[in-house]
Amino acid sequence: MKAKEMTHTVKALFAGDKGLLAMDESIPTCNKRFEEAGIPQTIEYRRKYRQLIVTTPNLGKVISGAILFDETIHQSTDDGVPFIDMLKKAGVVPGIKVDEGTMDLAGFPGEKITMGLDGLKERLSKYFDMGARFAKWRAVITIGSVIPSRGCIEANMHALARYAALCQEAGIVPIVEPEVLMDGAHDLKRCFDATIKTQHILFDQLFAQNVNLKWLILKPNMVLPGLSYAKPASIDKVAEATVNCLLQSVPPVVPGVAFLSGGQSAEDATAHLNAMHVKYKGKLPWALTFSFARAIQQPALEIWKGKDENVAEAQKMLYFRASLDNAARRGEYTPEMEK
Ligand code: 13P
């Protein structure tokens, strides 16, 4: 077990007020975002876009770790510098998404199971040799009239625990991401109930699989009403519900929690993280940070539009959004800073 290596990785990922950048969209997801922004959906444009991100000036001042996708971890800049080396040079720890996406879960209509355990041991060892020091696996839990089912939650949390054990065996810190989706018209209470149940079952499975919680990062959803629910919840209510949920399910030995943004606006995701720090500063057993994809990238992607002449402006926006999330980690973010 590469204990020292993993301890070092965890420390680096939660250093100061920094957080993580998820830039691990699968090819179909990245293409979908490109299509919406009018950008050609080719391997070269995906490379150019990821180059824009990893060459952002001073990225390492605001971002501690970046999660890559398999296609991206093999790519390089125009000058032939591997992206993974660019990140290391910037002081950003490289990570890798290792799940292989979701498929319908047999016997459970409307629910999904995440794939990717087959051959994972070998893939992890290859990624470690390439320089990746942490990994991510995302499970999705859907809220509907009669779901999520216990069967779906258990199957997904079992897979997450098996993945986490394999990561630690390889010296890679696992990020476990049980995402309760925002899609739907459910209220905040239903999201809370689904999230707390999911997290309880997750930690039960992690214990059963001998995963050492001190080398583990939880990447949860915030507790929110569904996207098509009539009334938005206040910033403070979301912060309270999210922290209360975590306090009841996440053991104190877990070093840190890094939230996904899950379809919230960039401003909302930042404001919610900020409110948690304002209200609970010094009172929580684990660090709270961000591991956003859309809430950091989307405004920059919309500026870039696939055009070389927009790269510098897009990079400024990426840096700006991440710096606002740093402010949120200090509990110092205000909406005025958006201007
Ligand atoms: P979002 O912040 O866009 O939800 O993405 C985070 C992520 O890594 C999803 O797996």
Side-chain angles (χ1 to χ4, degrees), residues 83-103:
F83 287 165
I84 205 160
D85 292 346
M86 283 303 301
L87 289 171
K88 282 200 263 181
K89 222 169 72 191
V92 177
V93 183
I96 180 77
K97 167 198 177 79
V98 298
D99 69 68
E100 294 179 333
T102 61
M103 62 178 277

Side-chain angles (χ1 to χ4, degrees), residues 22 24 136 138 177 179 219 260-263 291-295:
D24 60 336
K136 182 189 106 173
R138 172 174 177 259
E177 181 180 14
E179 176 174 5
K219 176 164 174 166
L260 61 95
S261 59
S291 177
F292 300 154
R294 281 164 288 180

Side-chain angles (χ1 to χ4, degrees), residues 8 28-29 43 45 93 97 103 132 209-210 256 261-262 265 275 332:
H8 178 78
T29 303
I43 185 169
Y45 273 87
V93 183
K97 167 198 177 79
M103 62 178 277
Q209 295 302 321
N210 284 338
S261 59
S265 70
E332 291 173 3

Side-chain angles (χ1 to χ4, degrees), residues 1 3-4 8 11 13 15 33 36 47 58-59 95 115 133 150 165 170 176 237 300 304-305 311 327 332-333:
M1 183 137 306
K4 263 200 195 137
H8 178 78
K11 214 170 137 201
L13 290 176
R33 308 245 191 280
E36 286 159 4
R47 187 195 67 81
N58 299 314
L59 188 68
M115 312 297 294
R133 288 296 174 267
R150 186 156 188 111
V176 291
K237 187 138 194 230
W304 178 51
K305 293 197 187 77
V311 166
E332 291 173 3
Y333 166 81

Side-chain angles (χ1 to χ4, degrees), residues 64-253:
S64 58
I67 315 171
L68 305 173
F69 181 63
D70 183 69
E71 178 181 84
T72 317
I73 203 170
H74 292 97
Q75 289 174 326
S76 306
T77 63
D78 295 342
D79 309 331
V81 183
F83 287 165
I84 205 160
D85 292 346
M86 283 303 301
L87 289 171
K88 282 200 263 181
K89 222 169 72 191
V92 177
V93 183
I96 180 77
K97 167 198 177 79
V98 298
D99 69 68
E100 294 179 333
T102 61
M103 62 178 277
D104 292 341
L105 178 59
F108 294 88
E111 302 198 278
K112 301 278 183 197
I113 182 77
T114 301
M115 312 297 294
L117 285 174
D118 288 349
L120 181 57
K121 186 182 166 87
E122 292 73 28
R123 287 193 288 132
L124 285 167
S125 133
K126 196 188 73 185
Y127 288 136
F128 183 91
D129 292 344
M130 289 180 80
R133 288 296 174 267
F134 70 101
K136 182 189 106 173
W137 179 291
R138 172 174 177 259
V140 298
I141 304 297
T142 311
I143 298 181
S145 56
V146 294
I147 55 174
S149 67
R150 186 156 188 111
C152 169
I153 298 176
E154 274 180 6
N156 274 292
M157 299 310 112
H158 179 74
L160 267 171
R162 297 266 314 277
Y163 140 83
L166 284 165
C167 283
Q168 291 186 344
E169 188 184 73
I172 289 183
V173 172
I175 294 188
V176 291
E177 181 180 14
E179 176 174 5
V180 177
L181 296 176
M182 277 181 85
D183 303 311
H186 52 272
D187 60 9
L188 179 140
K189 168 84 169 51
R190 284 210 64 208
C191 177
F192 181 94
D193 291 346
T195 304
I196 198 167
K197 187 169 175 184
T198 299
Q199 290 176 0
H200 269 277
I201 296 174
L202 171 63
F203 284 99
D204 186 43
Q205 292 288 338
L206 289 166
F207 179 73
Q209 295 302 321
N210 284 338
V211 174
N212 192 325
L213 299 185
K214 73 179 182 191
W215 298 312
L216 176 105
I217 295 168
L218 174 67
K219 176 164 174 166
N221 52 285
M222 296 183 191
V223 174
L224 295 153
L227 281 169
S228 39
Y229 183 68
K231 229 175 90 205
S234 71
I235 299 286
D236 282 341
K237 187 138 194 230
V238 170
E240 267 171 45
T242 303
V243 171
N244 280 332
C245 178
L246 295 172
L247 282 171
Q248 290 176 61
S249 49
V250 184
V253 67

